[in-house]
Amino acid sequence: MRGRRMGRPGLVGTMARTAVIAGTATAVSGNVSRRQAGRAQDAQDAQYAEEQAAAQQQQAAQAAAQQAAAPAAPQNDIIAQLTQLADLKAAGALDDAEFAAAKAKVLGG
């Protein structure tokens, strides 16, 4: 029988140790890659959320500006009031003098 040397592994032991080290390195590098990809995705999600919030603020500002700039459509309001007065006169609820007074008030005169 051949005696084994103590202190140094044989060929099979060295190959097994190398396989374990390589497998561990692969697993660690895979975890690092997944963690980095997750962080990159989180950063991208945060940037997207910020862009969406900025877009919503811009839309709200534009809507407020449009509401402030848009007149209350006084021309349509005057026409509607005059039409209503004419209907009241035609129905007999207003006489000529009341109609003339109300019309002058609507027209600002």
Side-chain angles (χ1 to χ4, degrees):
M1 240 170 114
R2 255 177 142 180
R4 281 189 57 100
R5 290 185 281 169
M6 296 296 280
R8 293 180 72 185
L11 181 61
V12 173
T14 301
M15 288 175 57
R17 183 177 295 154
T18 302
V20 168
I21 291 171
T24 303
T26 302
V28 169
S29 105
N31 286 339
V32 169
S33 295
R34 281 190 294 277
R35 194 173 324 130
Q36 287 175 341
R39 287 180 183 161
Q41 183 65 41
D42 290 345
Q44 195 174 28
D45 291 345
Q47 182 180 1
Y48 178 76
E50 288 175 9
E51 290 171 356
Q52 291 299 318
Q56 288 175 348
Q57 287 177 347
Q58 185 179 11
Q59 288 175 349
Q62 287 176 348
Q66 287 176 351
Q67 287 178 350
Q75 187 66 25
N76 289 341
D77 189 40
I78 292 172
I79 293 172
Q81 288 178 355
L82 290 175
T83 304
Q84 187 178 23
L85 288 174
D87 291 343
L88 288 172
K89 182 180 176 194
L94 296 177
D95 62 16
D96 288 337
E98 291 171 330
F99 175 76
K103 184 172 112 178
K105 182 177 178 185
V106 168
L107 295 175

